[in-house]
Amino acid sequence: MEIREVFARNLKAARQAKGLSQEELAFRAGLDRTYISSLERRVYNASIDVVDRLAIALDVEASELLKRPPGTKIKLLR
Amino acid sequence: MEIREVFARNLKAARQAKGLSQEELAFRAGLDRTYISSLERRVYNASIDVVDRLAIALDVEASELLKRPPGTKIKLLR
């Protein structure tokens, strides 16, 4: 699974686990709502600053947002 | 600790644990040596694709490269 998909899935799951809308998460992280939506659709190649900003807003570790589900194969974006 | 510093430290530690030079890691990851050196000096705000490419070259999980040492405070880049 490509890292953008890993991040998209983890971001959405963490946001929903907190009961936050994309709008609320965007506000907390100081980012634009449309950017959150794009990240959850794997459109952008997020930077580690953005990953950390979102992790802080979600009160999770940044590394958690890049964790692959056990057993998934690594697939590199060519 | 800012995420760029977390990544820089983890990247250097993982590279040295594998006994790789910056040159060898750059070759394996298909990146430029000077870019590796810059990342280890916190110069750039790496993307998750780059983090994953380096993790694969180092045979570690991408999430490991963003893991904060226990007890470190989160500091956001303003």
Side-chain angles (χ1 to χ4, degrees), chain A:
Chain A
M1 185 189 299
E2 283 161 13
I3 196 70
R4 293 189 205 192
E5 179 152 1
V6 173
F7 178 56
R9 288 183 183 208
N10 291 337
L11 179 62
K12 189 169 187 177
R15 177 175 63 77
Q16 290 176 336
K18 280 272 188 270
L20 295 176
S21 66
Q22 289 180 342
E23 195 100 38
E24 286 161 327
L25 175 57
F27 177 75
R28 286 188 183 198
L31 297 167
D32 190 273
R33 189 201 65 74
T34 55
Y35 187 60
I36 305 284
S37 163
S38 304
L39 289 176
E40 290 189 3
R41 287 178 293 114
R42 310 186 304 276
V43 170
Y44 292 128
N45 181 19
S47 72
I48 57 174
D49 283 358
V50 162
V51 171
D52 203 38
R53 191 179 283 269
L54 288 163
I56 291 164
L58 290 162
D59 196 23
V60 296
E61 275 292 317
S63 57
E64 291 301 311
L65 292 178
L66 292 192
K67 209 167 242 176
R68 279 188 165 84
T72 45
K73 287 237 166 7
I74 293 172
K75 207 173 129 210
L76 198 61
L77 197 72
R78 282 280 159 226

Side-chain angles (χ1 to χ4, degrees), chain B residues 1 7 12 20-21 23 26 28 30 37-38 40 43 45-47 50 53 55 63 65 69 71 78:
Chain B
M1 185 188 298
F7 178 57
K12 189 169 186 177
L20 295 176
S21 65
E23 196 100 38
R28 286 189 185 198
S37 162
S38 302
E40 290 189 2
V43 170
N45 181 18
S47 72
V50 162
R53 192 180 282 270
S63 57
L65 292 179
R78 282 283 158 221

